[in-house]
Amino acid sequence: MLRLPAVAGRFYPSSPAELTALVHEYAKADAQTARARVRACLVPHAGYIYSGHVTGAVFARIRLPKQILILGVRHYPRGEPAAILTSGAWRTPLGDAPIDEALAGALRKACALLRDDRVAHSAEHSLEVQLPFLQVLVPDFTFVPVALGTLRFEDLVSVGEAIARFLAVLKEDVLLLTTSDLNHYEDDATTRVKDHKAIDRLLARDARGLYDACRNEDISMCGLGPAVAMLTALNALDAKKSELVKYATSADVSGDRDAVVGYAGMVFS
């Protein structure tokens, strides 16, 4: 299957030259800072104009391996609630990014909830917007796309535990790249308070606490499912360190503080 771009020209430039230059601008590394090896990262998935600088700050700090598991959101109510693609490629203006068929097949076998489903991925932007960054920064990478539409805590834990089992036995270095935006469409001050309640739980690697905080505090974190699965996997893998690399809201770019979206870039090792 060749998955064609769904949001090129809207979330990111459709011009290859412009897109490449923008990724280099956002992910410009400090020459004095060594890129760190991490187990996982959390990056946003809004239009590059709003959140690209947050994603770039994370990628500028870490060593990107050749194999990447992208854990994203299924925003639209179509397709399987836990959807993987195990073959084919995804096209962007920079070319075709190949799915790692061996890794994807192994993960599907490791996780009973995952179903091979192109419908859930056909228009989903959360995974797509990560690919141009990776195509520029690690051109020969392969990836495994997973989109989660379920918010059942038990399902998310099951996915996270399966990912941990899958990663634990691999000889290859695989990055768990998880994507989520934070609170949506409240005023900037409210959003910042809510976002930092979620960020505190992420830093503590507290999957249940994050889930409960978002539910009880009405934090509209669209990637809650992927984040809970990621934290579950990290705890099973005995991760020790969490860091907030950059935080912003859309108001930092737009100037509109009445209805904003929050973005966090984080790393876990």
Side-chain angles (χ1 to χ4, degrees):
M1 170 193 169
L2 178 62
R3 193 272 195 185
L4 298 176
V7 294
R10 294 192 293 128
F11 278 60
Y12 58 86
S14 57
S15 160
E18 183 182 354
L19 181 53
T20 300
L22 195 59
V23 169
H24 280 306
E25 176 186 341
Y26 286 144
K28 186 180 298 183
D30 183 343
Q32 297 181 345
T33 302
R35 293 181 185 268
R37 181 186 180 277
V38 301
R39 291 182 182 270
C41 64
L42 181 80
V43 293
H45 53 246
Y48 281 20
I49 188 173
Y50 297 112
S51 69
H53 63 106
V54 177
T55 299
V58 169
F59 290 157
R61 289 276 302 277
I62 67 177
R63 183 171 66 83
L64 288 165
K66 304 293 186 184
Q67 295 170 301
I68 299 175
L69 167 55
I70 307 180
L71 192 57
V73 190
R74 192 202 68 183
H75 281 92
Y76 308 105
R78 299 189 295 273
E80 294 286 342
I84 190 171
L85 285 175
T86 57
S87 64
W90 288 36
R91 179 165 293 171
T92 80
L94 301 179
D96 294 347
I99 291 173
D100 192 311
E101 297 185 5
L103 278 182
L107 178 58
R108 186 183 62 178
K109 290 180 180 178
C111 183
L113 289 177
L114 287 177
R115 296 287 185 271
D116 218 320
D117 178 46
R118 68 179 62 189
V119 174
H121 287 281
S122 61
E124 180 49 54
H125 64 274
S126 66
L127 291 87
E128 179 182 330
V129 298
Q130 312 307 322
L131 297 180
F133 273 95
L134 301 175
Q135 287 174 304
V136 171
L137 299 174
V138 53
D140 52 352
F141 82 103
T142 59
F143 77 110
V144 177
V146 174
L148 296 180
T150 179
L151 276 179
R152 281 174 40 88
F153 185 74
E154 295 77 10
D155 291 347
L156 300 171
V157 168
S158 178
V159 171
E161 289 174 344
I163 289 173
R165 292 192 300 270
F166 165 73
L167 293 176
V169 299
L170 291 178
K171 295 180 180 179
E172 302 92 342
D173 186 9
V174 178
L175 174 68
L176 177 54
L177 192 170
T178 305
T179 179
S180 178
D181 297 337
L182 299 182
N183 198 56
H184 287 63
Y185 307 133
E186 294 189 87
D187 66 86
D188 192 68
T190 299
T191 289
R192 289 176 185 272
V193 170
K194 287 188 173 185
D195 284 351
H196 281 282
K197 290 180 179 179
I199 289 168
D200 286 345
R201 294 301 89 213
L202 284 157
L203 288 171
R205 299 181 301 283
D206 180 1
R208 182 81 234 190
L210 175 65
Y211 186 87
D212 289 345
C214 288
R215 289 303 187 88
N216 297 336
E217 303 285 345
D218 194 27
I219 304 168
S220 54
M221 177 180 178
C222 60
L224 173 59
V228 167
M230 173 191 71
L231 294 177
T232 300
L234 287 169
N235 288 330
L237 292 166
D238 201 27
K240 299 295 187 185
K241 294 178 64 177
S242 313
E243 181 184 354
L244 175 64
V245 175
K246 190 169 188 178
Y247 172 76
T249 75
S250 56
D252 296 328
V253 173
S254 70
D256 177 3
R257 301 192 177 276
D258 294 329
V260 311
V261 180
Y263 313 114
M266 305 182 72
V267 295
F268 305 86
S269 57

